[in-house]
Amino acid sequence: MSKLEVKNLNMHYGDFHVLQSVNMPIAQHEITAMIGPSGCGKSTLLRCFNRMNDLIESAKIQGEILLDEKNILVKETNLIKLRKKVGMVFQRPNPFPLSIYENVSYGPKIHGEGKKRVLLEIVQKALEDVLLWDELKDRLKDSALSLSLEQQQRLTIARLLAVQPEVLLMDEPCSALDPISTQRVEELMFQLKEKYTIVIVTHNMQQAARVSDRTGYMLLGRLVEFDETQKIFTNPKHKETEDYVTGRFG
Amino acid sequence: MLKLHQPLLVDKAVKVLFWALTFFTLIILFFILGFLLKKGLPVVSWEFLTQPIRDMGKSGGIFPSIIGTIYLTLLGVVLATPLGVGTAIYLVEYTRESRMTRAIRFGADCLAGIPSIIFGMFGFVFFVITLKMGWSLISGALTIAFMVLPTIIRTAEEALKSVPQGYREVSFSLGSGKWQTVLHAVLPRALPGILTGVVLSIGRCVGETAAVIFTAGSALGLPLSIFDSTRTLSVHFYILAREGISMENAYGTAVVLVLSILLINIFAYTLMNRYISKNS
Ligand SMILES: Nc1ncnc2c1ncn2[C@@H]1O[C@H](COP(=O)(O)OP(=O)(O)OP(=O)(O)O)[C@@H](O)[C@H]1O
Ligand SMILES: [Mg+2]
């Protein structure tokens, strides 16, 4: 069963038709990668899954996105519940200028958890899940901005895990990281997919090939091809896809 | 031959020019300060600061005026801050840029440009006469609250706008509502900027004369309730000097006034600098 299902999704920024009839399933406990040249609409698509595009005045969306078989694009959707379920990791690590503890506990506090003991447990669990606990357990009061970029990006993932989401949206989560940090974050993603459903946007084709189970190739707002990652990279059906994954594009 | 293009020479000349201009500004500033201090400082003593006003100000101290100024300023700023910050939050966080927000902003800018004596007239007609509050702390405080409102709105607006959009996005993406996002993700980051505006407003209230003399009056005694009239330091100075009661004590009052405003501004700028260095 698909965790998410995109059905005939069209989106405009004003008059600009940024997503054109996109259809794709996103399977549970898999990593789905979205690739494609700059400006093709990958981030825009990702931001449809947690309705972040609602913040943009000119954005208009038609079609359906089913989350557990319920359309989230309808007006009645409770955005707070939706975003609790479908969380997002941004391109640049963006911790709040607060302590490590306050960053991770931000979500649970917002959602009404007030007990110190419970919060600490949540923080510990989340930091353990991103393999930061041992490094940071003695400096939870330090500013999150004192961490390295990789630690910061892990921290933002922990901040997200603390609200117990089901789907993780990651928009180029490694683009600000060096190769070794990138590799470690990829390993982390591998572990996370056992519990979560992950959609990742990446410019790095090796990364898509390494981590993802399925890959979608987008071009100018269209989803050109969507298939198992292996097929996309070894035996694509479309000439455009082949040109892109073999680096002959442009 | 003299070349027209001699960048180095031009640079030097321009630098000297700007240095001279800056120097001139500083000279004026120090001249005024020096003059005041020389005339007024000998008058300022512990007695001067703590004694009641006697013989209309010819003798005694300025204690009631100090207290009146503090009360009036605090009351005015306490009234203006929630109103101004609330308006700014509404403009930045709850509306999109539209004709209405531009109209509100334009209104605030116009309000900022109105001379304070007009505020004084308005306060006199509206609070003192129409609402029958009389010459009192509350009439004065309401009047100066309206006067500093635009400053508070605009500084709070800038402070809120300077909070990176990313913080709002993260907060929303974690499932926060609008108010939670404003309260927990935006306001803490904007607070130093907002406070700077508030402190600058305090400085303006302390020094205000025209708006206050019409509304808070010029009673000599210590104000005991918000319905009592009081004479602030600047009003006291104005009356002493204008009616030639005591130039000595006028200068003494002026020194106390100027030094307090100086301190408040230094405080505001330190705050602002900390804010800027923290945000870059
Ligand atoms: N808020 C907006 N208003 C109008 N147009 C926008 C807006 N955001 C993005 N666009 C346009 O929509 C198109 C798709 O943008 P999007 O950010 O989704 O691309 P992307 O595939 O993520 O690109 P990149 O790889 O550079 O991140 C681009 O042409 C962009 O200029
Ligand atoms: Mg993008």
Side-chain angles (χ1 to χ4, degrees), chain B residues 15-234:
Chain B
K15 197 172 158 189
V16 168
L17 179 70
F18 283 125
W19 177 85
L21 291 175
T22 311
F23 187 72
F24 187 64
T25 314
L26 283 178
I27 290 279
I28 295 177
L29 196 71
F30 280 117
F31 180 72
I32 296 176
L33 259 182
F35 176 77
L36 268 182
L37 288 177
K38 182 162 176 291
K39 292 268 193 180
L41 214 47
V43 183
V44 179
S45 62
W46 182 245
E47 278 69 42
F48 187 68
L49 295 175
T50 54
Q51 292 295 307
I53 304 173
R54 291 197 193 94
D55 302 335
M56 298 306 287
K58 248 200 223 48
S59 58
I62 54 169
F63 184 66
S65 285
I66 294 179
I67 296 300
T69 307
I70 293 174
Y71 281 174
L72 189 85
T73 302
L74 285 186
L75 198 56
V77 170
V78 163
L79 289 169
T81 302
L83 208 58
V85 175
T87 306
I89 290 178
Y90 177 71
L91 286 177
V92 177
E93 306 292 336
Y94 284 88
T95 54
R96 296 188 153 140
E97 198 60 32
S98 69
R99 193 173 292 168
M100 200 221 7
T101 58
R102 278 194 296 273
I104 295 177
R105 208 166 285 133
F106 180 71
D109 285 345
C110 288
L111 215 57
I114 294 177
S116 59
I117 195 159
I118 307 288
F119 277 102
M121 274 308 296
F122 165 78
F124 178 70
V125 171
F126 190 63
F127 298 122
V128 177
I129 307 289
T130 311
L131 296 184
K132 299 196 172 63
M133 293 175 177
W135 281 322
S136 61
L137 268 176
I138 186 73
S139 299
L142 284 165
T143 307
I144 55 171
F146 280 122
M147 197 183 73
V148 296
L149 198 55
T151 316
I152 293 186
I153 295 177
R154 292 310 298 267
T155 43
E157 246 196 305
E158 293 310 315
L160 291 168
K161 278 190 195 157
S162 72
V163 175
Q165 196 57 26
Y167 292 140
R168 295 185 183 83
E169 289 207 330
V170 171
S171 180
F172 283 126
S173 80
L174 290 169
S176 316
K178 185 88 193 178
W179 174 237
Q180 289 172 317
T181 298
V182 170
L183 193 62
H184 298 295
V186 180
L187 272 182
R189 252 98 278 149
L191 207 56
I194 294 174
L195 281 181
T196 306
V198 172
V199 178
L200 286 175
S201 302
I202 292 179
R204 269 192 73 198
C205 291
V206 169
E208 183 50 39
T209 318
V212 169
I213 196 167
F214 284 118
T215 51
S218 55
L220 293 163
L222 202 59
L224 297 173
S225 92
I226 58 169
F227 297 106
D228 281 355
S229 168
T230 186
R231 78 161 56 175
T232 61
L233 286 170
S234 53

